Amino acid sequence: MMGDVRLTPVSYVVLGLIEHGGPATPYDLKQRLALGPGNLWSVQHAQMYSEPQRLAAAGYLSERREEGGRRRRTFLLERRGRDALRRWLAEPAATNTELRDPGLLKLYFGAEPRALASGQLAAHRAKLAEYERAMGSDPGDEPRGPWLALEMGIAAERAWIRFWSALA
Amino acid sequence: MMGDVRLTPVSYVVLGLIEHGGPATPYDLKQRLALGPGNLWSVQHAQMYSEPQRLAAAGYLSERREEGGRRRRTFLLERRGRDALRRWLAEPAATNTELRDPGLLKLYFGAEPRALASGQLAAHRAKLAEYERAMGSDPGDEPRGPWLALEMGIAAERAWIRFWSALA
DNA sequence: ACCGTCATGTAATCGGTTACATGATTCT
DNA sequence: AGAATCATGTAACCGATTACATGACGGT
């Protein structure tokens, strides 16, 4: 216990999800992720099992285990975890200017624009529709973070749609 | 030799860089990456050493080794590599709708918008300026890929700047 | 009762990152 | 000549993905 670990963005996702939603099993985390920040920063479900253990081993979380049946693990935020999250939120963030978009990479290396564009357009339009629906049912009051992130998601999807439309 | 490997985006970056620029040492690859697709899809320089070896072991590249001195390795594109690249270019691409932006993640989880925005703005403005300079010196003729990717890069930076400006 | 799908979890692998290390080269 | 920086390379580690596996549950 209390070994030290490097905290990655995934670590903070876990800490953040638990702070917002309270104690959680790995499966809960997976659910919350899907409902919330999942399409901003995706995480494989298997990592919702390993990462909390890592964090618990280092004292950021504590673990409670069900007695009978499945012996589900529930993770709770510890003082140390809350502090780490606070500190991270207060620090300036690295900047990401990489698109890291597989379609754009292909385009760069000479793929046929037309062929790419149709598939990309369909996907981005679908995502935009999903975000707009979500935005419709989000009152936008506290906490503001999710709403703001959604707004940026929409802006990004629109930019992609404009781009691929011009190539279609 | 000819073991099989999973080809990742990084694999195609290597194949693409060699096809465009001819045979290359790892250091050449690092250079070309920095000049070109590097700010679309970054790769650590160490991987420019391991990845070509992986690809050579699987028959996508061949390797020639300097006799004296440093015994630098030079990698050449093989038939198999060229075919793989062509096939990849022709296939439809996965879509990326994740922003995966550290700043946006912090915002989501409650970071103070003002504090974040100034740093993010500075970085995105700098990147935009860099792209615009590059766009200025790019005639935009064949191959079109790099030019188009740059155009999208600019659009993305503008979207980010608009977003963070509203929070500053 | 059976089948398919969703829920839940573990294990192994491996790509990618980080850290380290030593030659060249340039500048003062 | 010494220092600093750039070029070039290797090794180890580990987070993240992939693959596998079983339990629960709803429908027919």
Side-chain angles (χ1 to χ4, degrees):
Chain A
M1 202 151 292
M2 292 288 172
D4 58 345
V5 289
R6 179 180 306 277
L7 296 181
T8 69
V10 172
S11 312
Y12 293 109
V13 167
V14 169
L15 294 174
L17 287 174
I18 296 182
E19 160 156 275
H20 280 26
T25 67
Y27 198 74
D28 293 336
L29 291 172
K30 183 193 155 189
Q31 300 291 312
R32 290 182 197 171
L33 184 77
L35 292 178
N39 34 30
L40 159 63
W41 201 291
S42 79
V43 181
Q44 307 296 322
H45 87 273
Q47 221 176 346
M48 296 288 96
Y49 292 84
S50 57
E51 184 65 21
Q53 305 227 32
R54 238 169 53 91
L55 293 174
Y60 296 92
L61 301 177
S62 60
E63 178 187 341
R64 183 153 310 160
R65 198 146 186 185
E66 216 176 39
E67 285 307 317
R70 295 244 178 154
R71 314 213 55 216
R72 285 194 194 82
R73 296 166 196 276
T74 298
F75 294 94
L76 304 102
L77 193 57
E78 287 299 312
R79 174 75 196 276
R80 185 165 182 198
R82 189 181 308 275
D83 288 350
L85 183 60
R86 289 278 142 75
R87 238 178 295 114
W88 177 74
L89 287 175
E91 276 166 10
T95 320
N96 176 26
T97 60
E98 275 177 51
L99 277 329
R100 233 162 230 273
D101 183 272
L104 195 57
L105 189 63
K106 290 194 186 195
L107 191 65
Y108 184 97
F109 281 118
E112 177 54 43
R114 289 273 178 69
L116 269 181
S118 69
Q120 299 296 111
L121 264 178
H124 285 296
R125 285 191 173 127
K127 206 65 181 178
L128 176 60
E130 179 191 331
Y131 286 164
E132 283 173 336
R133 228 176 307 118
M135 181 67 100
S137 59
D138 183 335
D141 40 4
E142 301 303 318
R144 299 278 295 152
W147 190 90
L148 292 170
L150 190 52
E151 195 177 46
M152 181 62 210
I154 288 176
E157 291 308 322
R158 292 203 169 125
W160 281 112
I161 290 170
R162 243 176 284 123
F163 177 71
W164 290 115
S165 289
L167 299 177
Chain B
M1 201 155 290
M2 292 288 174
D4 57 345
V5 287
R6 180 178 306 275
L7 296 181
T8 69
V10 172
S11 311
Y12 293 110
V13 167
V14 169
L15 294 174
L17 287 174
I18 296 182
E19 160 157 275
H20 280 26
T25 67
Y27 198 74
D28 292 336
L29 291 173
K30 182 193 156 191
Q31 299 290 312
R32 290 181 199 171
L33 185 76
L35 292 176
N39 34 32
L40 160 61
W41 200 291
S42 79
V43 180
Q44 307 295 324
H45 88 273
Q47 221 177 346
M48 296 287 99
Y49 291 84
S50 57
E51 184 65 21
Q53 306 226 34
R54 238 169 52 93
L55 293 174
Y60 295 91
L61 301 176
S62 61
E63 179 186 341
R64 183 154 308 159
R65 198 145 186 186
E66 216 177 39
E67 285 307 316
R70 295 242 178 156
R71 315 214 55 218
R72 286 193 194 82
R73 296 165 195 279
T74 298
F75 294 94
L76 303 101
L77 192 57
E78 286 301 310
R79 176 72 196 277
R80 185 166 185 197
R82 188 181 308 276
D83 288 350
L85 183 59
R86 289 278 142 74
R87 237 178 296 113
W88 176 74
L89 287 175
E91 275 165 9
T95 320
N96 176 25
T97 60
E98 274 176 53
L99 278 328
R100 234 164 227 273
D101 183 272
L104 195 56
L105 190 63
K106 290 194 187 194
L107 191 65
Y108 184 97
F109 282 117
E112 178 54 42
R114 288 275 175 70
L116 270 180
S118 69
Q120 299 295 113
L121 263 177
H124 284 296
R125 285 190 171 130
K127 206 63 180 179
L128 176 61
E130 178 192 329
Y131 286 165
E132 282 174 336
R133 229 176 305 117
M135 182 66 103
S137 59
D138 184 333
D141 40 4
E142 301 303 318
R144 300 279 293 153
W147 191 88
L148 292 169
L150 190 52
E151 196 177 46
M152 181 63 209
I154 288 176
E157 291 308 322
R158 292 202 171 125
W160 280 112
I161 290 169
R162 241 175 286 122
F163 178 71
W164 290 114
S165 289
L167 299 176

